Amino acid sequence: MSAITIRLERGKVLAIGLMSGTSHDGVSAAVVEIDERSRPPARVIAFHTFPYPASFRKELLAASVDEKIGAAAISTLNFALGRALAHAAIEIAKRARVAMTSVAFIGSHGHTFFHLPPRRAARGQIASTMQLGESAVVAAATGVAVVSDFRTMDLALGGEGAPLAPLAHVWLFADPKRGRVVQNIGGIGNATYIPPGARVGDPNLIAFDTGPGNGMIDALASRISGGRLRMDRDGRIAARGHVNELLLDKLMRNPYFARRPPKSTGREEFGPHLLDRIVADARRMKVVDYDLAATVTALTARSIADACRRFILARGRVDQMIVTGGGARNPTLMRMLAAELPNIEVITAAEVGVDGDALEAVSFAILGYQMLRGRQGNIPNVTGARAPAILGKLTVPPAPLA
């Protein structure tokens, strides 16, 4: 631990951030230079998403919806994901031409396998969360200390355990004059409101999951294509259809949208089970596939805009919505979002000089840095936790053999 502390005291720190998102596509990995004297204080050196093999992705997706999956399967997935994370860390370091011995630590979120926050737990259930991707496997393979399991302490303090990226959003996007919403559209959508001149303790800073992101859009594209497509690339399928307002209005009555933050959600609420019902409703209403794709895409756009109107605009001015994640590469979704929010400039993170694809991986490098500095990683008025907390657990690599 002392070697890690000394390395962090040298000013510039090299770290690797890792995460596997709700889209189950692969491991996103970033080499990040952190220097608190710079603005912004974190800079991406290299980023890449390492896709899962099709067979492993299928296995991971199946496990996420199979309520009868056994302990052996979960344990195996935990170590298999650890190998995938370690591989991504080693490969991204090679791409950046950075020696592993120069990396101070790895911040690994792993893969959220199950997440049941307090406000969704039914009577008799215990709020809990499980991230897979064994940190010991990563540390052993890379020889680098790993900070992982970031959600659990916030959940233990009564928080949602999500979203975790807002601290990084403040680091990277706070503007002295403009109010900004950082809207990530991954498998699930989540928003962070950053008031003008905001700092981490700003009482008007708020963040929460808005609802569906790309997850159901991708799953529907797979169904429509008979499994040939993994996503609606560039929103082409949705662009050929028309939004069915009757079906969209019904979908917008989902109680999650009216629930006040702090709140978080996932595939348990906006995943295969909901898509089954949507497809069944569409068949009864004789909605053709292209129109269904347009409607499901519009659900993501409208739920984001609705969340902004309900929960953010009352807190302060919003000049820009900065979109990150895969949704930023979907022109159809971006057009729909801009139409829903005509008085707000809807742009991508790249337009303000930040790699939006890398943002979540960068966030976990920053959270790992905060943990090793002994600083809070959660924001209680974002997650609903009773108190600020240091997030993450440290896995120390084995000492080199003499």
Side-chain angles (χ1 to χ4, degrees):
M1 182 65 185
S2 59
I4 297 167
T5 304
I6 291 169
R7 195 173 295 171
L8 289 187
E9 289 173 352
R10 292 176 183 167
K12 290 183 181 179
V13 172
L14 278 180
I16 292 176
L18 302 173
M19 68 98 55
S20 169
T22 50
S23 296
H24 297 69
D25 290 332
V27 177
S28 295
V31 176
V32 185
E33 182 184 85
I34 299 175
D35 185 350
E36 294 189 72
R37 300 166 299 183
S38 301
R39 288 294 173 267
R43 183 171 68 91
V44 177
I45 305 298
F47 171 76
H48 189 71
T49 295
F50 298 89
Y52 291 130
S55 58
F56 182 72
R57 182 175 189 264
K58 184 177 180 181
E59 183 181 353
L60 188 58
L61 278 165
S64 69
V65 297
D66 184 357
E67 295 181 357
K68 296 180 180 178
I69 184 171
I74 295 174
S75 181
T76 300
L77 276 175
N78 185 38
F79 273 64
L81 277 162
R83 288 183 178 183
L85 292 161
H87 171 77
I90 292 166
E91 289 302 314
I92 197 63
K94 287 179 182 177
R95 288 175 183 239
R97 298 182 179 179
V98 166
M100 272 296 175
T101 52
S102 300
V103 176
F105 67 90
I106 295 170
S108 176
H109 176 53
H111 182 89
T112 300
F113 182 73
F114 181 79
H115 187 65
L116 182 67
R119 290 156 188 81
R120 281 220 322 272
R123 186 181 297 275
Q125 290 183 310
I126 296 175
S128 61
T129 188
M130 177 181 286
Q131 275 60 238
L132 299 184
E134 179 52 54
S135 60
V137 173
V138 181
T142 62
V144 177
V146 179
V147 184
S148 63
D149 213 9
F150 293 98
R151 294 196 196 278
T152 50
M153 180 56 75
D154 188 83
L155 213 72
L157 289 168
E160 294 279 306
L164 296 179
L167 185 142
H169 292 165
V170 175
W171 271 42
L172 298 172
F173 295 106
D175 186 272
K177 296 181 179 178
R178 284 177 287 202
R180 288 172 160 173
V181 173
V182 180
Q183 178 68 51
N184 178 63
I185 308 179
I188 295 294
N190 49 74
T192 301
Y193 173 54
I194 308 172
R199 296 181 180 276
V200 170
D202 192 310
N204 283 320
L205 193 152
I206 187 174
F208 56 95
D209 287 349
T210 54
N214 301 315
M216 289 201 300
I217 298 171
D218 294 346
L220 181 62
S222 179
R223 290 197 191 194
I224 289 172
S225 67
R228 288 182 295 104
L229 300 176
R230 286 174 55 178
M231 67 183 74
D232 183 7
R233 189 173 297 279
D234 298 325
R236 293 170 192 163
I237 300 173
R240 296 178 65 178
H242 296 88
V243 176
N244 185 293
E245 290 292 342
L246 284 176
L247 179 56
L248 181 57
D249 286 346
K250 179 177 181 181
L251 298 176
M252 283 301 300
R253 291 198 288 272
N254 188 306
Y256 180 81
F257 299 134
R259 194 184 309 162
R260 297 191 64 80
K263 61 178 182 175
S264 61
T265 189
R267 286 174 57 83
E268 298 83 5
E269 201 155 9
F270 293 102
H273 300 303
L274 178 58
L275 186 60
D276 288 341
R277 295 200 299 271
I278 292 172
V279 171
D281 284 343
R283 298 291 176 257
R284 284 194 295 271
M285 298 169 70
K286 300 188 178 350
V287 178
V288 299
D289 286 345
Y290 291 133
D291 293 350
L292 179 55
T295 304
V296 169
T297 302
L299 174 63
T300 291
R302 186 161 297 177
S303 60
I304 289 169
D306 180 67
C308 186
R309 289 188 289 264
R310 281 181 193 254
F311 306 121
I312 294 176
L313 288 174
R315 291 176 170 263
R317 191 175 80 241
V318 177
D319 301 292
Q320 293 176 323
M321 177 173 282
I322 301 171
V323 182
T324 70
R329 296 191 299 276
N330 183 329
T332 304
L333 177 55
M334 291 292 284
R335 284 195 299 271
M336 289 179 173
L337 194 52
E340 291 278 353
L341 297 167
N343 298 318
I344 296 173
E345 184 184 16
V346 178
I347 59 176
T348 66
E351 293 176 74
V352 292
V354 176
D355 185 338
D357 292 335
L359 185 57
E360 287 192 291
V362 172
S363 296
F364 292 106
I366 291 173
L367 284 171
Y369 179 85
Q370 290 288 97
M371 185 271 188
L372 293 172
R373 286 290 196 193
R375 299 172 183 166
Q376 77 180 85
N378 68 337
I379 302 175
N381 61 307
V382 164
T383 65
R386 292 189 296 274
I390 298 169
L391 303 184
K393 301 172 184 175
L394 179 64
T395 302
V396 178
L401 295 174

